[in-house]
Amino acid sequence: MAIKLINIGFGNIVSASRIIAIISPESAPVKRVISESRERGMLIDATYGRRTRAVIIADSGHIILSAVQPETVKHRLQASDIQAENEDTE
């Protein structure tokens, strides 16, 4: 089984199998999760100083901030799944 990697913007890549959720950062509970993970040292900021548009929650407890829209990350994840299926059938 090959490891599927997803581009989350600016050349940053995350393992697709480790992603639990991709959420929008606007709500107060999500902002609280971000600040708590920053305090614990579990925050990975991959925004390069730009506005956070997606928050990716990993199974390891890490919180990853991305400047790419959640919908874009979802499409990249789905494209990776389709590509993997096509490779398996060949």
Side-chain angles (χ1 to χ4, degrees):
M1 181 178 137
I3 297 173
K4 291 187 284 184
L5 301 173
I6 303 300
N7 182 338
I8 60 165
F10 303 107
N12 297 300
I13 300 170
V14 176
S15 175
S17 63
R18 306 295 303 260
I19 296 174
I20 293 177
I22 304 165
I23 56 179
S24 177
E26 269 82 52
S27 72
V30 175
K31 290 179 182 179
R32 195 168 28 256
V33 167
I34 292 170
S35 68
E36 289 172 0
S37 66
R38 181 176 281 123
E39 291 170 4
R40 290 190 330 241
M42 300 291 281
L43 182 71
I44 301 169
D45 187 348
T47 62
Y48 281 71
R50 290 182 173 76
R51 181 173 163 229
T52 300
R53 296 180 183 260
V55 178
I56 301 169
I57 301 174
D59 63 355
S60 62
H62 287 87
I63 305 297
I64 305 160
L65 305 181
S66 173
V68 177
Q69 292 284 354
E71 197 71 20
T72 303
V73 177
K74 179 191 87 159
H75 288 301
R76 291 177 183 177
L77 189 57
Q78 289 175 334
S80 173
D81 287 342
I82 291 169
Q83 183 180 6
E85 288 176 13
N86 289 342
E87 289 174 359
D88 288 343
T89 57
E90 290 178 358

